[in-house]
Amino acid sequence: MKLKEFAREIGLSPTTVSRALSGYPEVNEATRARVMEEAARLGYRPNINAVRLATGRAGAIGVVMTKAGDYQFSEFMSGMADRLSSEDIDILITPMAEHDTGDELQLYRRLAESRRVDAVVIHSPRPRDPRIALLHQLKLPFIVHGRSATEVPHAWLDIDNEGAIKRSTEHLLDLGHRRIALLNGREGLTFTLHRLAGYRAALAERGVAFDPKLVTHGNFTDEIGFRFARTALEQRPRPTAFVAGSMMTALGVYRAARSMNLVIGRDISVIAHDDVFPYLTAENMAPSLSTTRSSIRAAGSRITDLLLQMLSGREASDIGELWPIELILRETSRPAPKDAAE
Amino acid sequence: MKLKEFAREIGLSPTTVSRALSGYPEVNEATRARVMEEAARLGYRPNINAVRLATGRAGAIGVVMTKAGDYQFSEFMSGMADRLSSEDIDILITPMAEHDTGDELQLYRRLAESRRVDAVVIHSPRPRDPRIALLHQLKLPFIVHGRSATEVPHAWLDIDNEGAIKRSTEHLLDLGHRRIALLNGREGLTFTLHRLAGYRAALAERGVAFDPKLVTHGNFTDEIGFRFARTALEQRPRPTAFVAGSMMTALGVYRAARSMNLVIGRDISVIAHDDVFPYLTAENMAPSLSTTRSSIRAAGSRITDLLLQMLSGREASDIGELWPIELILRETSRPAPKDAAE
DNA sequence: TTGAAAGCGGTACCAG
DNA sequence: CTGGTACCGCTTTCAA
């Protein structure tokens, strides 16, 4: 059923019906009530594409999906979905094709020009991220999940990566550890740099020398966690503690330690960052894993909320949230073994 | 720039331009080439919402996202994205609100009536899944990821869950195991029933009695894997092998075994189903995990492909693919310990 | 508070 | 092979 038919059916003009259904103030309340009721009864629903053409709104928030599978992605999406379930807005996933890899900007440009989305979320920013300048220039509203040092004003939400890793490192130092390895994220990303900064700051404060051999960069996979931990543990003197970037890398560290007959929580301490997953929890690891934790799902929800605010007129430059991280001590953060103190 | 302007600019009618750009056959090739070129030069792009209104096509494939986070989701999505990256079709995620939980059908009905998607993917079907009848009736093209016993004709793609679990179980029986525990999926879902059938069939063939205490149902989380394995391993005689529904439950089984000082691959065998994740791999577990494997990403890709075929006219009832599963033996499937043979 | 009518930006039928 | 034009279904001035 279309608007015209429906309007005729209930003896009103399309105009009034449209206004009643869209919540315009100038409609008599009694009329509105009747329209709503009749719409429900007769099953009238506006054609979304017509609405979009007429209003120019797309009714969707865009997310670009990189080809690399990412286990955090679905949690973030769930968070977005939580917030959007009460709105008439969808999430539009734009696949990033292989050939876009070299030219990611082109993808964002097309997305903006196609007007398929009202706003987008930018993930994994770099300190000077060209996507930010581009979207700003194209005037497509966006929010950055993470942070960037670019001078273009923009909305962002980030967790305190520097503080989190600093705190983990400090805690391990307090426990007497001196050789602490860091499993960092992919090189060049802002959060990776922040984590490194937190790590170095903690060492510097305690007068512990920074050793680049104790730091690695890469994706958050068990494989990388394992390989790096193996290599690190083969050094002499070997590290007595690891700061792991994710639960997956922590699993790799566990495995490396076991494969060398080292006991996590005794010979080796570990503190990992936990994005909070429903299917893999730090409490349930053996031994239970000490973590800095922050729900990526909550971030997805809040980011969506902020984006909706921007679509209602809030200034992007007003928006910037830095979420603190809690350090949760469990069984894997223990005093450094005496014999390893050199 | 809009079609009219662009057409005037290059001295052609909107009609011809539209046809040239959309690949209609009746356009002179020279004209088409020129139009394409000029469009690129002048940056003309059709307004997607106008196209959708005029054609009635939505340009998107829908996926309903349940509130529960699911670590397989993003891999499946990646697969879809792989296939769609060469098409002008997006993925539309519809959040399932809390209040839809009791009435999921309503959500699909709204999705269909809103015409926001051209087709949808149905996940986690049940033997008599009402969504299938509904979408069939609403004439929204769809494909089922999994299987359903409903008589309504429909397209589907599934992996051979029954065969996979049967094979795992048989293999363990061949190795001398007699008390084999099964960590199954959520109750009521088709794949859960299929897996149970495979398990029971293998036992029956070998004349091993079925013991319901050795079977559990639930989400694929490390937590559930741990809890069930603990309980099972406290029984006397205890199980000597586990067939785990996922990598995550397998992690729980590992932990349970360790917590009881049992050695996986010696005291306890494990074969799990692996959906193939880039960040957590069976080879890299310690000990390396024997699995039945099947890429959920490949399934996402193929399902999308089939959906596109349906949108081009292929009959839904023609489509049904059952993917075989390979059993990959690694270190966790070993002969049953002698002393456990009773 | 309500209604008439002109867009929104394309597509596709019908002529030529 | 190209063009004129009536839609697609809703929103939003403008007028009453």
Side-chain angles (χ1 to χ4, degrees):
Chain A
M1 161 141 26
K2 42 189 73 168
L3 177 58
K4 230 183 224 168
E5 293 167 25
F6 175 60
R8 186 178 332 115
E9 196 88 11
I10 64 173
L12 282 171
S13 75
T15 314
T16 302
V17 171
S18 169
R19 283 200 276 241
L21 257 25
S22 309
Y24 278 54
E26 63 264 50
V27 179
N28 183 310
E29 270 315 317
T31 309
R32 185 197 309 283
R34 192 176 128 240
V35 172
M36 306 274 272
E37 194 179 306
E38 292 284 26
R41 190 172 65 80
L42 297 173
Y44 167 72
R45 310 183 62 77
N47 176 313
I48 192 88
N49 291 320
V51 173
R52 287 174 183 174
L53 175 58
T55 59
R57 268 179 261 119
I61 289 178
V63 178
V64 171
M65 182 167 209
T66 51
K67 64 272 132 240
D70 172 358
Y71 63 95
Q72 298 153 327
F73 184 75
S74 63
E75 275 300 289
F76 187 87
M77 297 286 304
S78 295
M80 293 189 69
D82 287 346
R83 179 61 186 83
L84 290 176
S85 63
S86 54
E87 313 281 328
D88 202 17
I89 295 182
D90 304 305
I91 303 167
L92 193 93
I93 308 287
T94 301
M96 170 148 141
E98 276 312 324
H99 64 260
D100 290 317
T101 315
D103 192 6
E104 197 181 347
L105 280 188
Q106 203 45 46
L107 183 65
Y108 281 89
R109 168 168 279 124
R110 284 208 304 271
L111 185 57
E113 286 171 349
S114 73
R115 306 176 190 81
R116 279 172 306 185
V117 294
D118 295 315
V120 297
V121 178
I122 288 188
H123 283 282
S124 306
R126 292 160 185 275
R128 322 207 59 75
D129 203 299
R131 293 174 295 177
I132 293 175
L134 176 69
L135 292 178
H136 180 79
Q137 178 203 326
L138 295 176
K139 302 205 189 313
L140 178 65
F142 66 97
I143 185 167
V144 176
H145 182 205
R147 261 176 295 172
S148 176
T150 173
E151 55 291 322
V152 179
H154 60 273
W156 58 271
L157 182 150
D158 197 8
I159 58 174
D160 184 9
N161 282 293
E162 176 167 355
I165 293 326
K166 180 153 184 276
R167 219 158 136 211
S168 299
T169 310
E170 281 171 353
H171 183 71
L172 292 167
L173 288 165
D174 288 345
L175 290 170
H177 295 274
R178 286 299 171 270
R179 295 188 59 73
I180 302 170
L182 174 67
L183 276 147
N184 210 340
R186 289 218 311 282
E187 218 142 2
L189 304 182
T190 308
F191 86 86
T192 300
L193 296 165
H194 283 169
R195 289 185 178 188
L196 183 62
Y199 172 78
R200 297 196 64 156
L203 294 180
E205 273 177 12
R206 300 294 205 286
V208 175
F210 169 73
D211 178 356
K213 282 202 303 299
L214 289 177
V215 176
T216 195
H217 297 271
N219 284 323
F220 291 145
T221 69
D222 64 332
E223 170 76 16
I224 284 178
F226 174 75
R227 286 220 296 260
F228 173 69
R230 269 304 290 226
T231 305
L233 290 171
E234 278 160 1
Q235 293 176 29
R236 288 294 173 275
R238 65 171 178 241
T240 59
F242 287 82
V243 175
S246 75
M247 302 278 283
M248 297 299 164
T249 39
L251 284 176
V253 173
Y254 274 48
R255 181 162 69 95
R258 284 197 184 107
S259 75
M260 301 175 79
N261 288 313
L262 295 168
V263 176
I264 299 269
R266 188 190 70 192
D267 306 315
I268 305 289
S269 282
V270 183
I271 301 182
H273 181 68
D274 174 13
D275 289 305
V276 188
F277 303 105
Y279 45 83
L280 181 63
T281 50
E283 298 89 307
N284 290 331
M285 289 171 66
S288 66
L289 176 64
S290 297
T291 59
T292 49
R293 71 181 260 149
S294 174
S295 164
I296 204 163
R297 181 166 187 155
S301 205
R302 177 61 177 162
I303 276 189
T304 307
D305 192 45
L306 292 170
L307 222 34
L308 292 176
Q309 292 182 23
M310 289 170 66
L311 291 178
S312 318
R314 185 164 171 197
E315 211 53 57
S317 49
D318 277 2
I319 299 174
E321 288 191 6
L322 184 61
W323 286 14
I325 301 292
E326 39 182 341
L327 173 61
I328 301 175
L329 300 178
R330 298 197 185 84
E331 297 169 353
T332 59
S333 46
R334 291 296 172 74
K338 285 281 172 282
D339 55 352
E342 300 162 61
Chain B
M1 160 138 31
K2 42 191 72 169
L3 177 58
K4 235 183 220 167
E5 293 167 24
F6 174 62
R8 188 181 329 119
E9 196 87 11
I10 64 172
L12 281 170
S13 75
T15 313
T16 302
V17 171
S18 170
R19 283 199 276 240
L21 258 24
S22 309
Y24 278 55
E26 62 265 51
V27 179
N28 183 312
E29 270 315 317
T31 309
R32 185 197 308 281
R34 191 175 129 240
V35 171
M36 305 274 270
E37 194 179 305
E38 292 284 25
R41 191 173 64 79
L42 297 172
Y44 167 72
R45 310 184 62 80
N47 176 312
I48 191 86
N49 291 320
V51 173
R52 287 174 183 175
L53 175 58
T55 59
R57 267 180 263 120
I61 289 177
V63 178
V64 172
M65 181 167 209
T66 51
K67 65 268 134 252
D70 173 358
Y71 62 95
Q72 298 154 325
F73 184 75
S74 63
E75 275 300 289
F76 187 87
M77 297 287 304
S78 295
M80 293 188 69
D82 287 346
R83 179 61 186 83
L84 291 177
S85 63
S86 55
E87 313 281 329
D88 201 19
I89 295 183
D90 304 304
I91 303 166
L92 193 93
I93 308 286
T94 301
M96 170 148 140
E98 276 313 323
H99 63 260
D100 290 317
T101 315
D103 191 7
E104 197 180 348
L105 280 189
Q106 203 46 44
L107 182 65
Y108 282 88
R109 170 168 278 125
R110 283 207 305 271
L111 185 58
E113 286 171 349
S114 75
R115 308 176 189 78
R116 280 172 305 185
V117 295
D118 296 316
V120 297
V121 179
I122 288 189
H123 283 283
S124 303
R126 293 160 184 275
R128 321 207 59 74
D129 203 299
R131 293 174 296 177
I132 293 176
L134 177 70
L135 292 177
H136 179 79
Q137 177 203 325
L138 295 176
K139 301 203 190 313
L140 179 65
F142 66 96
I143 184 166
V144 176
H145 182 207
R147 260 177 295 172
S148 176
T150 173
E151 57 290 323
V152 179
H154 61 272
W156 58 271
L157 183 152
D158 197 8
I159 59 174
D160 184 10
N161 282 293
E162 177 166 354
I165 292 328
K166 179 153 184 277
R167 224 163 128 206
S168 299
T169 310
E170 282 170 353
H171 183 71
L172 291 167
L173 289 165
D174 288 345
L175 290 170
H177 295 276
R178 286 299 171 271
R179 294 189 58 75
I180 302 171
L182 174 67
L183 276 145
N184 210 340
R186 288 216 313 282
E187 218 142 2
L189 304 182
T190 307
F191 86 87
T192 300
L193 296 166
H194 284 170
R195 289 185 179 189
L196 182 62
Y199 171 78
R200 297 195 66 156
L203 293 181
E205 274 177 13
R206 298 296 203 288
V208 175
F210 170 73
D211 177 356
K213 282 202 303 299
L214 289 177
V215 176
T216 195
H217 298 271
N219 284 322
F220 291 145
T221 70
D222 64 333
E223 170 76 16
I224 284 178
F226 173 74
R227 285 221 297 259
F228 173 68
R230 269 302 291 225
T231 305
L233 290 172
E234 278 160 1
Q235 295 176 28
R236 287 296 172 274
R238 65 171 176 240
T240 60
F242 286 81
V243 175
S246 76
M247 302 279 281
M248 297 299 163
T249 40
L251 283 175
V253 173
Y254 274 47
R255 182 162 69 94
R258 284 199 184 105
S259 75
M260 300 175 80
N261 289 314
L262 295 169
V263 176
I264 298 269
R266 189 192 68 194
D267 306 315
I268 305 289
S269 282
V270 182
I271 300 181
H273 181 68
D274 175 13
D275 289 304
V276 187
F277 303 106
Y279 46 82
L280 180 64
T281 49
E283 298 88 307
N284 290 330
M285 289 171 66
S288 66
L289 177 64
S290 296
T291 59
T292 48
R293 71 181 261 148
S294 174
S295 164
I296 203 162
R297 182 166 187 153
S301 204
R302 177 61 177 162
I303 276 189
T304 307
D305 192 45
L306 291 170
L307 223 32
L308 293 176
Q309 293 182 23
M310 289 171 66
L311 291 178
S312 315
R314 183 163 173 199
E315 210 55 56
S317 49
D318 277 0
I319 299 175
E321 288 191 6
L322 184 62
W323 286 15
I325 300 292
E326 39 182 343
L327 172 62
I328 301 174
L329 300 178
R330 298 197 185 83
E331 297 168 354
T332 58
S333 46
R334 291 295 172 74
K338 286 281 173 284
D339 55 354
E342 302 162 58

